[in-house]
Amino acid sequence: AKGMGKNNVRFFDPSMQAALEFRTAMETDLRHALMHHQFILHYQLQVSALGDPIGAEVLLRWKHPGRGLVSPLDFIPLAEETGLILPIGLWVLETACRQITTWASDPVKSGMQLAVNVSARQFRHTGFVGDVTRILHETGANPVLLKLELTESVVLEDVTSVIEKMHAIKKLGVGFSMDDFGTGYSSLSYLQRLPLTQLKIDRSFVHNLPDDVNNANIVRTIISLGGSLDLNVIAEGVETEQQREFLLQAGCLAYQGYLFCKPIPIEDFDEFISSRQYL
Ligand code: C2E
Ligand code: CA
Ligand code: CA
Ligand code: CA
């Protein structure tokens, strides 16, 4: 062994160097993405037990000039690390609120709720309550039609201040959905203290229904928990008729997944909704 010399060599590992260069390039690109209007939103339909449209989840996409459509899974972590999630998150919120206002005069879409994902860093930012208030005011969106999706990780840290913030936002009329519910650590005692309106069953519990006995039980438990806490429950990742059937039997009242519609650009979403009216 050559000791130090050998260790130093690892710094020049070409694959590590390439990974670092890739990250730096991504960061530079991400910094320009907002200014260059490279972000778009996709809308994924949410339906009632009867299959009627009740709203949509707003999902972010990055139209990268060289890499095509980049998934949020590939840039949200970097955006969180660099703090770029703050301006990006505001853009998402503002765009969604403007969409709510645009739909306000439509007979079908005026009642639809939009669910917006909020990252941990974004929610913890001191300006968040003020930003939501301002954006609602500036866009004229009906707050009742806006729902913020939080994950359990957001809520776990500093529970008291999180609850305070949630109450301030709920006072505006905005709802809260607990996203990916069941995948994190949720104690029943704090779940009761959070001013939530909805639990969202994570798709990892849905994808092998009804065969997986454990997941079938978890899903039934979440739905009855929602009933006891007076929260509505939505299932995400519903892909098959059998899954829908099981969830319906279990008492689930709201659904989202490829079975109903994939996340699509707004023009396609509008068209999808209008064409459904004539069915
Ligand atoms: P999520 O909040 O759990 O969003 C649901 C993900 O499941 C979406 O992935 C959606 O495209 C996908 N999905 C929907 N239906 C089905 C289905 O039936 N089967 C399967 N296999 N997948 C389905 P997507 O769009 O790639 O988003 C990934 C994650 O990125 C989201 O997970 C969310 O955590 C995050 N994200 C997306 N948009 C935003 C945003 O605007 N802000 C923040 N902070 N995070 C976002
Ligand atoms: Ca979500
Ligand atoms: Ca989710
Ligand atoms: Ca999920």
Side-chain angles (χ1 to χ4, degrees):
K2 284 181 184 158
M4 282 291 288
K6 193 171 183 189
N7 283 336
N8 281 341
V9 170
R10 297 191 57 211
F11 277 95
F12 304 103
D13 177 336
S15 66
M16 242 175 91
Q17 175 98 18
L20 202 72
E21 275 167 14
F22 178 76
R23 191 193 179 281
T24 310
M26 281 287 274
E27 190 178 328
T28 308
D29 291 353
L30 199 56
R31 283 189 193 284
H32 292 106
L34 258 183
M35 229 168 39
H36 292 124
H37 310 289
Q38 289 168 1
F39 290 116
I40 56 161
L41 297 180
H42 279 185
Y43 293 75
Q44 187 176 31
L45 183 70
Q46 300 181 336
V47 300
S48 71
L50 296 171
D52 294 325
I54 51 176
E57 178 175 5
V58 167
L59 294 156
L60 184 61
R61 302 288 180 264
W62 180 12
K63 265 189 174 163
H64 189 284
R67 291 181 221 285
L69 217 55
V70 184
S71 155
L73 298 173
D74 295 329
F75 69 86
I76 296 271
L78 183 61
E80 280 245 337
E81 260 177 69
T82 53
L84 286 166
I85 194 66
L86 297 175
I88 295 171
L90 288 180
W91 178 83
V92 173
L93 199 58
E94 208 174 301
T95 309
C97 285
R98 255 189 273 116
Q99 195 56 57
I100 289 175
T101 305
T102 303
W103 282 346
S105 54
D106 182 282
V108 177
K109 285 173 284 201
S110 58
M112 303 230 293
Q113 263 200 335
L114 281 185
V116 173
N117 293 285
V118 177
S119 81
R121 179 148 182 191
Q122 196 187 351
F123 188 81
R124 291 199 194 108
H125 186 253
T126 46
F128 189 66
V129 177
D131 287 335
V132 174
T133 311
R134 177 181 52 81
I135 288 171
L136 283 169
H137 182 77
E138 283 173 3
T139 59
N142 182 355
V144 171
L145 299 177
L146 177 66
K147 187 163 55 186
L148 302 180
E149 296 200 358
L150 303 180
T151 55
E152 290 166 276
S153 62
V154 176
V155 170
L156 269 181
E157 271 176 53
D158 203 1
V159 183
T160 313
S161 91
V162 166
I163 291 176
E164 236 170 70
K165 258 189 187 179
M166 287 177 73
H167 272 295
I169 293 168
K170 203 183 178 188
K171 260 198 205 133
L172 303 169
V174 177
F176 284 103
S177 183
M178 184 58 91
D179 202 1
D180 302 340
F181 187 69
T183 58
Y185 170 85
S186 291
S187 86
L188 288 180
S189 66
Y190 91 64
L191 201 60
Q192 216 165 8
R193 293 170 54 208
L194 299 177
L196 292 167
T197 41
Q198 183 179 69
L199 299 177
K200 192 168 200 180
I201 304 173
D202 189 65
R203 77 164 187 265
S204 61
F205 301 119
V206 173
H207 92 277
N208 52 13
L209 290 179
D211 303 324
D212 188 297
V213 179
N214 282 327
N215 284 348
N217 283 327
I218 289 171
V219 164
R220 274 192 285 255
T221 303
I222 295 175
I223 292 169
S224 85
L225 180 66
S228 333
L229 294 173
D230 204 17
L231 301 173
N232 79 62
V233 175
I234 185 166
E236 71 173 10
V238 182
E239 294 181 353
T240 69
E241 190 52 46
Q242 289 86 334
Q243 292 164 356
R244 192 192 68 88
E245 196 70 42
F246 175 91
L247 289 157
L248 193 66
Q249 293 289 321
C252 187
L253 295 181
Y255 303 78
Q256 180 183 341
Y258 296 165
L259 178 63
F260 309 99
C261 198
K262 291 199 165 181
I264 46 178
I266 190 63
E267 310 80 50
D268 300 346
F269 186 83
D270 276 333
E271 198 180 297
F272 184 85
I273 295 291
S274 335
S275 65
R276 276 186 103 261
Q277 290 177 58
Y278 305 104
L279 291 181

